[in-house]
Amino acid sequence: YDLCIIATTANIRFKVFLELISKCTVKNIIFEKVLFQKESEYIDTENLLADKQINAWVNCPRRMNLSYQKIQTLLANETDISLVVTGSNWGLACNGIHFIDLFLFITQKSNIILDTTLLNEKVIASKRNGFYEVLGTLYGRDTSGNSIELHCSDDENISIEVKLLTKNYQIIIKETDGDVVIINSDQEVKEFYKQLYQSELTHLNIEEILEKGNSSLTTFNDSKSIHLPFIRSMKKHIEIALNEQLNACPIT
């Protein structure tokens, strides 16, 4: 097969991947996120992909958005970049990796360290049975001085807002409202932001891979570098909240 998309829940994705490659020859794979629940599955998948010469990417598509591509170029020479996400009930455990991937895309740094001390002590059952969600603030930084803050509350109807702050720029992206405001010392510019649905992206992913042999999505290896600290931090926090030792991180 030329391309396979594995869009299962995280708890069975590795098993599905093993079954797939044991029965089929596949050239390219797109994995849905959160990738896997166990650290060992990341290492094993990385080795199997290399052994079978399979190209693989992870579906974190904000980096495909033209507004974020422009912002990444605009901030290419900036230092001490701060990415701050605020909103309510947006699924920090399920969707936090999207914004950590955006942080990776903007900063081009993958050595992130996460701090869970500002997350709410209690975790909540996800709408998917057997999985959990978290509220509060997840803080992260890298060794270059860049930082990320993910704020998720249970208040009513607070739209997601993304801020990127540097010494020279203040950029505010209101994804739901469709606005981007770029402020620097010279001017303030307001632009249109279009949030693309997955149904508007999948065919573009497929065409790019089949025609060019590459993808604008995150490579598996790059995504692994941010997934591992994320699932470690989530697993530890959920274990403390449940007062229970877990053999896997129950998020998807």
Side-chain angles (χ1 to χ4, degrees), residues 37-225:
Q37 295 185 333
K38 298 179 180 179
E39 290 191 38
S40 61
E41 294 174 345
Y42 290 84
I43 309 302
D44 292 344
T45 299
E46 181 180 39
N47 292 334
L48 287 166
L49 290 171
D51 182 57
K52 293 186 175 292
Q53 297 183 310
I54 301 171
N55 303 311
W57 298 269
V58 179
N59 188 37
C60 290
R62 270 183 176 78
R63 57 176 60 213
M64 295 181 65
N65 189 287
L66 293 177
S67 293
Y68 282 123
Q69 290 177 2
K70 177 180 178 179
I71 291 167
Q72 196 266 348
T73 301
L74 194 64
L75 302 184
N77 296 318
E78 293 291 302
T79 57
D80 297 335
I81 298 170
S82 177
L83 189 155
V84 181
V85 180
T86 56
S88 63
N89 298 308
W90 55 265
L92 198 159
C94 178
N95 294 311
I97 199 68
H98 277 301
F99 294 108
I100 298 174
D101 182 78
L102 179 62
F103 181 71
L104 168 65
F105 176 62
I106 297 293
T107 64
Q108 299 295 295
K109 307 292 182 183
S110 61
N111 53 352
I112 190 168
I113 301 167
L114 296 174
D115 181 351
T116 61
T117 54
L118 295 179
L119 289 176
N120 291 7
E121 290 183 7
K122 292 184 178 180
V123 296
I124 52 179
S126 168
K127 61 182 180 181
R128 295 183 176 92
N129 188 37
F131 304 105
Y132 289 91
E133 263 303 337
V134 300
L135 296 168
T137 298
L138 181 66
Y139 178 79
R141 58 181 174 80
D142 64 27
T143 54
S144 299
N146 305 302
S147 66
I148 180 171
E149 296 176 34
L150 303 180
H151 305 278
C152 183
S153 73
D154 59 356
D155 297 327
E156 291 294 324
N157 303 320
I158 300 178
S159 299
I160 292 179
E161 180 178 277
V162 181
K163 289 184 181 179
L164 283 151
L165 309 171
T166 72
K167 180 181 178 181
N168 299 305
Y169 288 96
Q170 179 179 345
I171 303 173
I172 304 167
I173 306 101
K174 296 184 178 180
E175 295 187 347
T176 307
D177 298 337
D179 290 337
V180 179
V181 179
I182 301 173
I183 304 168
N184 62 21
S185 56
D186 299 324
Q187 60 182 343
E188 177 177 328
V189 178
K190 189 173 183 178
E191 299 181 354
F192 175 70
Y193 175 88
K194 178 174 173 55
Q195 179 70 49
L196 297 175
Y197 295 106
Q198 190 60 50
S199 58
E200 300 174 281
L201 292 170
T202 302
H203 68 289
L204 299 177
N205 298 145
I206 294 169
E207 288 169 4
E208 187 178 26
I209 290 170
L210 297 187
E211 293 174 7
K212 299 179 181 179
N214 206 344
S215 176
S216 300
L217 294 172
T218 317
T219 64
F220 177 88
N221 287 351
D222 281 348
S223 195
K224 167 179 163 278
S225 71

Side-chain angles (χ1 to χ4, degrees), residues 29-43:
I29 294 176
I30 297 175
F31 291 98
E32 190 53 77
K33 57 81 219 163
V34 174
L35 271 168
F36 311 112
Q37 295 185 333
K38 298 179 180 179
E39 290 191 38
S40 61
E41 294 174 345
Y42 290 84
I43 309 302

Side-chain angles (χ1 to χ4, degrees), residues 5-9 13 30-32:
I5 299 173
I6 304 181
T8 66
T9 49
R13 186 170 293 117
I30 297 175
F31 291 98
E32 190 53 77

